[in-house]
Amino acid sequence: MRERKMDALQWRILPVLTLIASFLLFFYFQYPSQQYPKNCSLLPFQHYWIASKRIVTPQGVISGAVEIKDGKIASIVKEEEKHGKIKSENVIDYGEAVVMPGLIDVHAHLDDPGRAEWEGFPSGTKAAAAGGITTLVDMPLNSDPSTVSRETLELKIKAAESRIYVDVGFWGGLVPENAFNASALEDLLDAGVLGLKSFMCPSGINDFPMTNASHIKEGLSVLAKYRRPLLVHAEKEQELESNLGVEDGSNNPRSYSTYLKTRPPSWEEAAIKDLLTLTKDTRIGGPAEGAHLHIVHLSDSRSSLDLIKEAKSGGDSLTVETCPHYLAFSAEEIPDGDTRFKCSPPIRDAANKEKLWEALLEGHVDMLSSDHSPTMPELKLLDGGDFLKAWGGISSLQFVLPVTWSYGQKYGVTLQQLALWWSERPARLAGQKLKGAIAVGNHADIVVWDPDVEFDLDDEFPMHVKHPGISAYLGTKLSGRVAATFVRGNLVFEEGKHAPAVCGVPILAS
Ligand SMILES: *[C@@H]1O[C@H](CO)[C@@H](O)[C@H](O)[C@H]1NC(C)=O
Ligand SMILES: *[C@@H]1O[C@H](CO)[C@@H](O)[C@H](O)[C@H]1NC(C)=O
Ligand SMILES: [Zn+2]
């Protein structure tokens, strides 16, 4: 347990009541209530210092303190320069705990509005805050309706407003219905989506049909003007072995290997080959210069990754993410009938996982995202365990930080790599110039965590997602416990407790 140490001196000298009264007065005159919702921070002040021996900055890990004023980072002072520079009495000393930029999850499905029984903005962002995620970008599908127009984005914003514990941005959908209509896409982008997302295979959601290369080309040409990215689910259906899906001894639907055979790496490879004929246009001087293509949740670390490396070295504006579940689990370990592990593209073999880590460490995979995609437990078919019929999607939002850290120990993952994969590069993808790093002038979006504290992720652990029982990480032991989360300077979560009111705001591109 880490204790927050206020400056002891002032507490001793002044009677507590006077102090509280002066805070209230200060607060009353200093800040209009609109700007800082009542009770949305567990701290009674807006100007304070966070001190620690391990503060992760873009320049390195330092011992010192971060000054926070009115939601922004006002200064950063190293230990040796601290003397005389800290004028505020409000110092929160976290000792050895790590102070890092809050995580930015660019891929989460919160299913709100329309399927809030699957997750919803309140529970999803509560879990995010408890997991050190200070910003997330919501996917345009799994809610009902999908976010494919100005009107449907407005429904999203309405569903999120005053109900989110962290900041939330939105991707819009690129679908056949709007892809050839530039004014429809411009309308959606003008309304504030941070970029677009499309599928190259059926999405599993009826009002979110797949796109082909022509749709994607059109989308990129519109996005170029806005300098916002297109995110693509890169799997393209290819012919399978003819007896798949037939239930005989070798094709038991309760066996994970049966499911794995239905979505081979060749699907990812085929989609990426198609995409790379288009990303050439994003090169400097190309017809879609200014556009950027981002491949979501890469699973295949072999041929698909080789293609991506080649395109990047040719100058294509291209990035790729993978998810903790592809780095933590391998196909061989997934028990029969345990559909908590079903997602697409699928979790592949152990050797694939090793190569994925290697690619991440070498910088060929740019960033991480949760792809948190929960549903109702009934749709996971946990009782029958049919991998072919169960809903595909992994529930993970609250645990991506300890998971990346715990499974990354073996590979020598550093704190700075975590900040790069989870904050700095995701901020750039989402166009958030004031987020993603502990730097002067940035939003004070910060996670404080204890890398060495271990915990069992069992039924007793306080999970904030709507359906804790479907999490693939249930039953694991993790290290890295989140102690506190700050969103724009507001302490929204500390020691298992959330602020009584919400502070998150919808993030709209302008
Ligand atoms: C294109 O989109 C605009 C705006 O949503 C709509 O008014 C118009 O009817 C669409 N055009 C076509 C040809 O579908
Ligand atoms: C993509 O689908 C559209 C119809 O929505 C069609 O006109 C176009 O030819 C298709 N492009 C490719 C490359 O298949
Ligand atoms: Zn997804």
Side-chain angles (χ1 to χ4, degrees), residues 84-294:
K85 286 213 177 151
I86 298 185
K87 295 188 188 73
S88 164
E89 312 75 41
N90 305 323
V91 179
I92 314 173
D93 191 346
Y94 285 107
E96 302 276 340
V98 171
V99 172
M100 215 167 72
L103 279 70
I104 297 177
D105 184 4
V106 293
H107 192 149
H109 299 263
L110 296 190
D111 315 325
D112 205 355
R115 286 197 187 86
E117 68 276 17
W118 290 14
E119 188 62 89
F121 284 116
S123 60
T125 57
K126 207 169 182 182
I133 296 169
T134 50
T135 300
L136 58 81
V137 192
D138 183 54
M139 278 293 165
L141 70 161
N142 299 10
S143 52
D144 186 14
S146 295
T147 316
V148 293
S149 62
R150 174 184 287 274
E151 293 71 29
T152 47
L153 175 65
E154 279 163 4
L155 294 175
K156 272 274 176 204
I157 297 168
K158 203 176 285 170
E161 255 166 4
S162 308
R163 298 173 76 217
I164 46 182
Y165 287 83
V166 302
D167 289 351
V168 177
F170 310 92
W171 301 120
L174 175 74
V175 289
E177 185 196 330
N178 62 21
F180 293 126
N181 185 341
S183 70
L185 287 181
E186 283 167 6
D187 201 31
L188 176 57
L189 289 158
D190 290 338
V193 294
L194 304 182
L196 301 175
K197 154 90 182 277
S198 85
F199 271 70
M200 293 182 80
C201 60
S203 73
I205 294 288
N206 290 337
D207 72 342
F208 205 94
M210 61 186 270
T211 47
N212 64 29
S214 316
H215 302 125
I216 290 172
K217 192 178 173 69
E218 294 295 319
L220 282 175
S221 74
V222 173
L223 285 161
K225 283 180 267 175
Y226 288 79
R227 307 192 86 82
R228 295 184 208 164
L230 175 65
L231 286 73
V232 182
H233 179 126
E235 275 186 301
K236 191 177 170 192
E237 289 181 322
Q238 307 289 298
E239 219 168 302
L240 297 172
E241 294 168 45
S242 57
N243 70 336
L244 271 176
V246 178
E247 193 176 341
D248 63 17
S250 65
N251 281 335
N252 177 0
R254 284 178 47 82
S255 155
Y256 184 74
S257 64
T258 302
Y259 173 61
L260 189 57
K261 279 187 270 178
T262 66
R263 297 186 95 107
S266 59
W267 284 30
E268 288 188 75
E269 196 186 338
I272 290 167
K273 269 191 184 143
D274 267 15
L275 288 173
L276 298 189
T277 64
L278 306 171
T279 54
K280 286 191 174 44
D281 291 356
T282 65
R283 293 182 187 177
I284 294 168
E289 181 185 338
H292 177 84
L293 195 127
H294 178 75

Side-chain angles (χ1 to χ4, degrees), residues 222-467:
V222 173
L223 285 161
K225 283 180 267 175
Y226 288 79
R227 307 192 86 82
R228 295 184 208 164
L230 175 65
L231 286 73
V232 182
H233 179 126
E235 275 186 301
K236 191 177 170 192
E237 289 181 322
Q238 307 289 298
E239 219 168 302
L240 297 172
E241 294 168 45
S242 57
N243 70 336
L244 271 176
V246 178
E247 193 176 341
D248 63 17
S250 65
N251 281 335
N252 177 0
R254 284 178 47 82
S255 155
Y256 184 74
S257 64
T258 302
Y259 173 61
L260 189 57
K261 279 187 270 178
T262 66
R263 297 186 95 107
S266 59
W267 284 30
E268 288 188 75
E269 196 186 338
I272 290 167
K273 269 191 184 143
D274 267 15
L275 288 173
L276 298 189
T277 64
L278 306 171
T279 54
K280 286 191 174 44
D281 291 356
T282 65
R283 293 182 187 177
I284 294 168
E289 181 185 338
H292 177 84
L293 195 127
H294 178 75
I295 293 169
V296 298
H297 52 48
L298 182 81
S299 172
D300 173 32
S301 59
R302 297 182 174 107
S303 325
S304 301
L305 193 70
D306 292 337
L307 292 168
I308 292 169
K309 279 192 224 171
E310 203 181 308
K312 279 182 170 181
S313 66
D316 296 15
S317 186
L318 177 67
T319 46
V320 56
E321 79 194 18
T322 192
C323 308
H325 40 271
Y326 301 118
L327 298 166
F329 307 125
S330 52
E332 296 91 327
E333 306 165 340
I334 299 177
D336 280 355
D338 199 344
T339 53
R340 293 178 305 154
F341 294 91
K342 179 178 177 180
C343 60
S344 63
I347 293 163
R348 305 193 189 283
D349 59 74
N352 183 79
K353 180 180 77 174
E354 292 301 316
K355 281 186 76 80
L356 204 53
W357 269 111
E358 201 177 292
L360 180 65
L361 294 163
E362 288 174 359
H364 302 304
V365 169
D366 301 277
M367 66 191 83
L368 298 174
S369 77
S370 72
D371 193 12
H372 175 67
S373 186
T375 188
M376 306 282 284
E378 300 89 281
L379 295 178
K380 271 306 224 183
L381 307 179
L382 294 173
D383 292 334
D386 185 329
F387 275 106
L388 301 179
K389 297 206 178 102
W391 168 260
I394 286 193
S395 170
S396 61
L397 195 58
Q398 199 179 328
F399 304 108
V400 291
L401 173 58
V403 164
T404 313
W405 178 245
S406 305
Y407 290 88
Q409 295 286 291
K410 196 175 133 188
Y411 306 91
V413 164
T414 67
L415 298 173
Q416 284 203 276
Q417 282 169 324
L418 289 180
L420 200 61
W421 302 334
W422 275 116
S423 304
E424 208 174 311
R425 288 176 180 159
R428 210 175 304 150
L429 179 73
Q432 299 305 301
K433 294 194 175 72
L434 297 180
K435 293 185 183 290
I438 295 187
V440 174
N442 271 9
H443 291 173
D445 292 346
I446 289 172
V447 54
V448 183
W449 63 291
D450 283 298
D452 304 325
V453 173
E454 293 193 332
F455 60 94
D456 287 307
L457 193 44
D458 53 22
D459 296 337
E460 311 280 287
F461 194 91
M463 283 203 222
H464 300 283
V465 292
K466 198 157 274 174
H467 304 291

